[in-house]
Amino acid sequence: MASFSVRFLGCKVSHVDAHAVRERLLAGGHEERDGAADIAVVNTCCVTHEAVAKSRKEAARAARTHRRVYVTGCGANLAGDAFSGLPDNVVVVARRSEETPEFVAGDVGAIGCVQADARLDRVRAFVKVQDGCSFSCRFCVIPLVRGASRSRSAGAVLGEIRRRVREGHREVVLTGINLGCYRDRAAGYRLARLVREAGAIPGLERLRLSSIEINHVDEELVDALRETPTVSRHLHVPLQSGDDGVLQAMGRRYSTATYLRRLEPLREDFNLTSDVIVGFPTEDERAFENTLKVVAEAGLTKVHVFPYSPRPGTGTAAEDPVPPQVKRERSARLRAASHAACLAHWRSKVGRGDVVLVDRPGRGYGDDYSPWLVPAAAPVGELIGVRGASVSEEGILAA
Ligand code: SF4
């Protein structure tokens, strides 16, 4: 039996993949530890240059405190030498996410005789329903490292959600690289049907989608979100740019008018969040100002801002004309606008009731995934009724 620790960098899919390796090692009788251990697994990210640098740093740090380090995930599958030159105890696992847990467990070796306590996060479970992407956004390295879109069977997904609910999870987040591409053709499922059936699983309190492309926000899905009582009033819809010329240069296959029109039915009562890339090669000041306008017009609250960095093997790998200080300045302006929108959204909840899933001492998320600050004694893992008293820089203060 070996002791191990698992870390992930990046998105919720990376989280799920790291969790799959962790569960496989636990099932093999290995023991999870917080500090130094025999084995470290670092599930990496490569979505920006900075993400790769952080992943490499994490692997190097782990190599000092662990006998062997497995570098897995998107960064490990990136062409080139992102992890070369690290100590000999670092093993780069350039494999698809479906194969990685078995490979790592096999390499770690001998199966122990006791089943370790899973110590699972019992509040929120991320359930991967789909992986890969068959789109070809010109800046994006994800299709190169994760391959084409593929889906799990609906039976496997629904079975996993039932298991998570039995384990005590209150919330499930359906997760994928391009979630709207979800298909189980043999059983006749698209995402909308999966949402309806997942949301109806007895004992599940809350269901959320991790992220969805605007092209997949159609009437069928909106109806499923509205008509499934457990579905959280939150949707994360990447915008990437609010300028039609930039969107076209990115190969995003929608216009700002489409983005706004498709979100219109949700604007009133959903908390809409997004991702934006700042400093894309064709983004000038006017194009950036268009992004600020669309962010406001769409009613977006939290915007995750990604300063553009060219990724190897992509359509824009050789293009990066926007100076770093311009990217920094635009990023700061967009983050400030997003923070102001969050504060305004939170203020609208003062004096109103909500149900908060407490996920850490003193903190949790309301029905639309707005952050709440609750009494420190509120039990972690429980849903509690609250009323908004005031707003701080970090969320809504419960009365
Ligand atoms: S939709 Fe575009 S940005 Fe998203 S993973 Fe696919 S190629 Fe990348």
Side-chain angles (χ1 to χ4, degrees):
M1 182 177 77
S3 58
F4 72 93
S5 69
V6 178
R7 269 219 61 185
F8 81 97
L9 294 96
C11 66
K12 293 184 177 78
V13 175
S14 176
H15 180 171
V16 173
D17 290 346
H19 198 68
V21 178
R22 176 181 181 236
E23 285 200 311
R24 180 62 188 83
L25 290 173
L26 288 167
H30 303 292
E31 183 197 2
E32 188 171 25
R33 290 224 189 113
D34 285 339
D38 300 323
I39 303 297
V41 178
V42 180
N43 206 67
T44 58
C45 176
C46 66
V47 74
T48 59
H49 177 70
E50 194 190 359
V52 175
K54 277 190 187 160
S55 297
R56 186 185 160 90
K57 208 166 152 190
E58 185 58 32
R61 196 192 60 74
R64 292 196 287 276
T65 49
H66 295 74
R67 284 219 323 264
R68 203 182 304 163
V69 179
Y70 293 94
V71 173
T72 59
C74 288
N77 285 284
L78 191 64
D81 55 359
F83 296 94
S84 67
L86 287 171
D88 289 344
N89 60 339
V90 176
V91 181
V92 178
V93 183
R95 287 174 179 262
R96 286 197 165 192
S97 59
E98 297 93 325
E99 304 161 2
T100 300
E102 211 48 49
F103 175 84
V104 172
D107 204 60
V108 168
I111 292 178
C113 52
V114 282
Q115 178 82 22
D117 172 14
R119 289 197 291 149
L120 295 167
D121 169 358
R122 293 200 185 277
V123 178
R124 178 178 297 120
F126 295 93
V127 174
K128 185 157 74 173
V129 308
Q130 179 275 346
D131 203 340
C133 182
S134 301
F135 289 12
S136 46
C137 302
R138 293 188 67 238
F139 56 82
C140 184
V141 74
I142 299 301
L144 303 177
V145 295
R146 287 201 170 260
S149 176
R150 63 242 181 231
S151 302
R152 292 173 73 195
S153 74
V157 171
L158 296 170
E160 182 178 345
I161 296 173
R162 284 189 203 99
R163 176 168 68 85
R164 298 291 187 189
V165 170
R166 278 198 303 275
E167 286 170 355
H169 291 94
R170 315 301 296 270
E171 179 180 58
V172 161
V173 184
L174 300 182
T175 303
I177 293 292
N178 197 332
L179 206 50
C181 291
Y182 181 79
R183 300 282 183 283
D184 177 347
R185 289 199 169 83
Y189 281 78
R190 290 157 58 97
L191 186 62
R193 182 174 171 197
L194 191 71
V195 164
R196 287 184 189 273
E197 295 190 17
I201 286 176
L204 182 68
E205 305 275 2
R206 197 172 272 178
L207 183 72
R208 274 196 298 124
L209 304 185
S210 61
S211 170
I212 186 140
E213 292 292 334
I214 194 69
N215 298 331
H216 297 135
V217 182
D218 56 15
E219 207 179 314
E220 186 192 8
L221 183 67
V222 169
D223 288 349
L225 297 174
R226 284 216 170 283
E227 291 165 14
T228 308
T230 48
V231 167
S232 170
R233 295 285 180 264
H234 167 248
L235 209 59
H236 185 86
V237 190
L239 170 64
Q240 306 304 12
S241 170
D243 181 83
D244 285 337
V246 173
L247 285 175
Q248 202 174 13
M250 286 176 164
R252 289 288 290 169
R253 301 196 290 187
Y254 57 84
S255 65
T256 54
T258 302
Y259 187 88
L260 292 166
R261 179 171 44 77
R262 288 191 170 225
L263 288 188
E264 187 56 39
L266 299 167
R267 271 195 62 177
E268 185 63 27
D269 59 342
F270 270 62
N271 178 23
L272 300 171
T273 61
S274 194
D275 299 325
V276 168
I277 294 172
V278 164
F280 186 76
T282 56
E283 183 190 80
D284 56 16
E285 178 58 25
R286 188 198 48 78
F288 174 70
E289 280 170 13
N290 285 339
T291 294
L292 291 174
K293 275 188 214 140
V294 173
V295 164
E297 212 177 318
L300 302 177
T301 57
K302 178 72 186 169
V303 176
H304 298 275
V305 180
F306 296 91
Y308 169 81
S309 60
R311 310 308 303 129
T314 64
T316 57
E319 301 167 40
D320 192 15
V322 179
Q325 71 273 17
V326 174
K327 286 183 197 165
R328 274 197 296 275
E329 183 258 344
R330 287 181 191 159
S331 297
R333 281 161 68 196
L334 184 52
R335 287 192 182 110
S338 163
H339 187 57
C342 286
L343 287 171
H345 183 67
W346 301 344
R347 276 189 209 106
S348 73
K349 293 179 179 292
V350 172
R352 290 167 52 191
D354 200 348
V355 176
V356 169
L357 176 58
V358 182
D359 62 357
R360 285 162 291 164
R363 285 172 189 264
Y365 288 91
D367 176 58
D368 73 355
Y369 204 51
S370 291
W372 281 78
L373 306 175
V374 297
V380 173
E382 291 302 316
L383 288 143
I384 60 167
V386 292
R387 181 159 291 275
S390 59
V391 161
S392 81
E393 286 294 297
E394 295 172 50
I396 310 142
L397 284 131

